[in-house]
Amino acid sequence: MADAKDSSIVDSKSSPTSTLTSSASQQQHRIIRTFLMAQDILRILPTLLSAASIAVMVTNNQTVLIFAIRFQAHFYYSPSFKFFVAANGVVVAMSLLTIILNFLMKHQASPIYHFFLFLHDIVMTVLLIAGCAAATAIGYVGKFGEEHVGWQPICDHVRKFCTTNLVSLLLSYFAFIAYFGITILSAYKIVSSSPKN
């Protein structure tokens, strides 16, 4: 009888602990699920934004007559705009690949996978801002010119081309902001999953 009483006392003492452990585990599972959902949404967002930016840029062209000379504005005539389109294209392709891998490995992703995912996000963020910077620089010269080297502004003649390029550039900047957020989330995931001392 004494042994039965002792065991019931132990069970009653251990049951609140197991309840707390189960509750903490469920809460941690909800946090991880919310984290993964936010990360997936943020990965879809820059993919769509970069794809839209490419579509706007490559379909944008304008032909005008300047002093009886036919002048055609198109992204392909500028190395900066070509780099901008290429950078966004790489981001779209790699983002789609990452979304597929995340879907396949959602429940069995290792810390090493999250580390390489973090490196991927950093590279994509840097690539996006590099493309945006290149397009912004040439867009600024097109809009305002550069007196010191004798470059005249051309946006007075091809307003539609410049305005549409600005839309493409803004879409890519929004994609950069989204990827910057993904990078922060990836870094947080690595830090939070590291073993505590």
Side-chain angles (χ1 to χ4, degrees):
M1 285 293 290
D3 291 341
K5 286 181 181 179
D6 289 342
S7 65
S8 66
I9 291 170
V10 171
D11 290 342
S12 64
K13 286 183 178 178
S14 64
S15 89
T17 306
S18 62
T19 306
L20 286 173
T21 305
S22 174
S23 175
S25 176
Q26 288 176 355
Q27 185 178 4
Q28 185 177 9
H29 182 69
R30 277 197 302 268
I31 291 172
I32 292 173
R33 191 170 55 190
T34 304
F35 169 82
L36 291 173
M37 187 184 302
Q39 202 177 40
D40 286 343
I41 290 171
L42 277 177
R43 285 189 190 284
I44 293 169
L45 186 60
T47 307
L48 296 176
L49 288 170
S50 291
S53 178
I54 293 171
V56 171
M57 178 66 78
V58 300
T59 57
N60 183 29
N61 63 78
Q62 186 177 3
T63 303
V64 294
L65 290 175
I66 302 176
F67 302 116
I69 299 173
R70 184 181 170 131
F71 177 78
Q72 184 177 18
H74 194 270
F75 90 96
Y76 198 76
Y77 302 138
S78 167
S80 297
F81 285 148
K82 284 196 285 188
F83 174 70
F84 173 79
V85 170
N88 278 277
V90 170
V91 168
V92 170
M94 294 304 294
S95 295
L96 286 173
L97 180 62
T98 307
I99 290 169
I100 294 169
L101 285 175
N102 279 353
F103 180 77
L104 294 176
M105 302 185 65
K106 184 170 288 188
H107 301 293
Q108 54 187 4
S110 64
I112 294 175
Y113 175 76
H114 286 294
F115 174 73
F116 281 110
L117 199 60
F118 173 64
L119 290 182
H120 164 270
D121 295 339
I122 289 177
V123 172
M124 293 300 103
T125 304
V126 171
L127 186 60
L128 271 173
I129 198 60
C132 288
T136 301
I138 197 66
Y140 180 87
V141 172
K143 178 71 176 175
F144 300 105
E146 181 54 68
E147 293 181 2
H148 299 292
V149 293
W151 292 342
Q152 298 300 315
I154 63 163
C155 283
D156 292 339
H157 306 291
V158 284
R159 292 181 189 275
K160 173 185 166 292
F161 178 78
C162 291
T163 302
T164 308
N165 278 352
L166 178 61
V167 172
S168 176
L169 189 56
L170 287 174
L171 288 170
S172 191
Y173 269 116
F174 287 136
F176 160 74
I177 293 169
Y179 245 112
F180 185 71
I182 294 171
T183 305
I184 293 173
L185 282 176
S186 296
Y188 174 76
K189 175 65 177 174
I190 292 174
V191 171
S192 64
S193 62
S194 61
K196 305 292 188 297
N197 292 329

